[in-house]
Structure formats: structure tokens, C-alpha cells
Amino acid sequence: MSAIVISGKELAQEKRMEMKKETDLLKEKGVTPGLAVILAGEDPASQSYVRAKQRACKETGIHSELDEVPDTISESDLLEKIDQLNKADHIHGILVQLPLPDHISEKKVIEAIDPEKDVDGFHPINIGRMMIGQEAFLPCTPFGIVEMIKSKQIDIEGKHVVVVGRSNIVGKPVGQLLLNENATVTYCHSRTKNMREITRSADILVVAVGKAHFITAEDIKEGAVVIDVGVNRNDEGKLIGDVDFNHAKEVASYITPVPGGVGPMTITMLLHNTILSAKRTVE
């Protein structure tokens, strides 16, 4: 058996075509969805990611603004920039690219963003709303993962989901979103004992630990759905995931690749949230 590959790249393209139609309709009503991105410093990975977001905005008709500031910017100056964007009527989504310089509090920055413009879905108010199943801006990577699973009509209800990793950005929220879909969710992390025993019980296995080929075919139940969130580089500089794809695909029923899997969907759901925010202004 060889698994069916869930291509985030293809799904993202489909969704962005629909988003372009939505932005065109909004523009007819006099509203152009606007996304503002603040990038502090010159981290190459962050710069690459921000450029990809800008290209995606252009592709879908979203107005984007990028404010590149030095990594020496003071915390108070950064918070002031966020405050100005909170008050800007033409901006519907605000994203501060992480990681931030060491002297700036990530917590303060996230909490400074207006929850109604928090299109990254990291503000405690949006996280709280998500937890209790209320309407909220959902964190983009977990949101994209759920969309990928649903795109293949894979039933989530009643399934055992195992999430390997418990970060606030991916692990915890993706487990909660799948719980909201009536899955039974187990988290594994660095302190988990007998991890293979747990991962082998998963109907759906989500891996987000940032360790190359951490999960092998032996860790996967026959026929499981495997979602690989990891992005790592091997010794040759090639991008690889947290899952040993070539061997895992012989065991799994569905699997996501790296690259071309979860990554494109993360940016796509950011666009979705920005358009949703803009729609709220005309409803």
C-alpha cells in the first residue's frame, strides 16, 4: 500500500482562486481587505516567509503593507506601531512576524493586537473563543491542517487523534480544533513514556516537533492519516519533515509531504482570516 498524498500546494491554489472572487466582491462594496505585517530584524527564514505572504496577498487581491524595522527597535516603539494599525480603518489584519528580538516580550506584542484584527489567531481572546467553540480567528497552521483532512472527506468524528508536540502555535490548538470536530485527542511530548505505543494507536497522527524524521514507519498504525508539520533541513540542505516520508507512505492511508504540504495552507488560512475580518466591516 502507498498512501494518498494530501497536497497542501494544490488545495491552497484552489482556495486562493475562491478567495480572489471574494475580494473582488468586497471591492465592489468599497472594501479592499488589508493586511499589515511587521518584521523586526533580518532573520532569513522570516524574510522568506513574509515575501511568500506578500505574493499570496497580491495573488488574491488583498492589499498588503510591510513595515520592516531593525531588531534594535524598542518594545514601546513596536507597541506604538501596533496601536496605530489597530486604529487604521484600511487594515483588517495585523501580523507581527515571530520570532521577535530577545528584548521584546512576545506576550505583550500578541496581546497588543486588537483581537478583531488578530488574523494569526494567537490572541488569548481568540484562543479562548476557539477552546469553547465560539467563532474566532483560528491559528493558521492548525486551521490549515483541519482543512487538509476535510478536503479528502476523511471522517474525524470518533477517531483517535495523536498530536506529537505541544507548542502554543501548532500542537495545542490543532488538538483542540480536532476535539471540536469530536475526535478523541491524545498529546505526546518530550516527557511522554512509551510514545510509540501511543502513536501506533492513532487513526490520525499529527507531528509537530521540529526534529527531522522523528517519526518512522514503525511508529505508525497501518492505514493511519499522517500530517507532517515539521520543516527541517538535512545535511544536503534539502527540506524534510518530522516524518520519514518515504517509509511512512507505505504504511499510512493518507500523508502530507514536506515541502508542499502544511506550509502553503498556513499562508492560505491567514488570507482567509484577513478576508473574514474585512467582511465583518460590511455585514
Side-chain angles (χ1 to χ4, degrees), residues 53-197:
K53 287 171 181 172
Q54 287 188 295
R55 285 195 300 271
C57 283
K58 188 174 181 181
E59 185 185 331
T60 50
I62 293 172
H63 166 72
S64 70
E65 295 180 6
L66 172 61
D67 190 357
E68 296 183 85
V69 299
D71 57 11
T72 54
I73 188 173
S74 69
E75 184 175 270
S76 59
D77 284 350
L78 183 58
L79 293 175
E80 174 60 29
K81 284 180 178 290
I82 293 169
D83 185 53
Q84 289 170 5
L85 292 170
N86 283 338
K87 295 170 181 171
D89 290 340
H90 71 293
I91 293 299
H92 304 96
I94 302 168
L95 184 149
V96 180
Q97 185 63 44
L98 303 178
L100 290 167
D102 292 340
H103 65 282
I104 296 175
S105 165
E106 191 175 293
K107 176 177 178 291
K108 282 185 186 176
V109 166
I110 289 170
E111 291 182 3
I113 297 170
D114 181 345
E116 301 306 317
K117 294 188 177 187
D118 167 42
V119 289
D120 240 350
F122 290 161
H123 194 287
I125 286 178
N126 281 316
I127 294 292
R129 287 173 179 163
M130 177 195 74
M131 288 287 291
I132 58 177
Q134 290 184 355
E135 184 179 339
F137 290 124
L138 302 177
C140 300
T141 300
F143 190 9
I145 289 167
V146 175
E147 290 294 303
M148 290 176 83
I149 295 169
K150 288 182 174 180
S151 75
K152 295 298 183 183
Q153 288 76 52
I154 296 164
D155 194 18
I156 299 170
E157 186 169 335
K159 296 294 176 65
H160 183 204
V161 171
V162 174
V163 180
V164 184
R166 53 175 171 177
S167 73
N168 292 331
I169 292 174
V170 181
K172 288 177 186 174
V174 76
Q176 184 61 48
L177 287 181
L178 291 164
L179 181 66
N180 291 355
E181 297 286 341
N182 298 315
T184 299
V185 180
T186 303
Y187 291 93
C188 291
H189 47 79
S190 58
R191 305 290 192 276
T192 299
K193 292 179 169 50
N194 305 319
M195 191 181 296
R196 176 169 288 177
E197 192 178 307

Side-chain angles (χ1 to χ4, degrees), residues 195-228:
M195 191 181 296
R196 176 169 288 177
E197 192 178 307
I198 298 168
T199 60
R200 283 183 65 85
S201 70
D203 301 307
I204 301 172
L205 180 63
V206 181
V207 189
V209 292
K211 293 183 179 178
H213 291 183
F214 181 77
I215 293 292
T216 66
E218 289 73 33
D219 300 310
I220 300 166
K221 180 172 79 172
E222 187 86 26
V225 176
V226 179
I227 308 293
D228 188 353

Side-chain angles (χ1 to χ4, degrees), residues 38-57:
I38 299 175
L39 174 61
E42 298 180 355
D43 177 69
S46 293
Q47 288 176 325
S48 173
Y49 194 42
V50 165
R51 282 195 297 272
K53 287 171 181 172
Q54 287 188 295
R55 285 195 300 271
C57 283

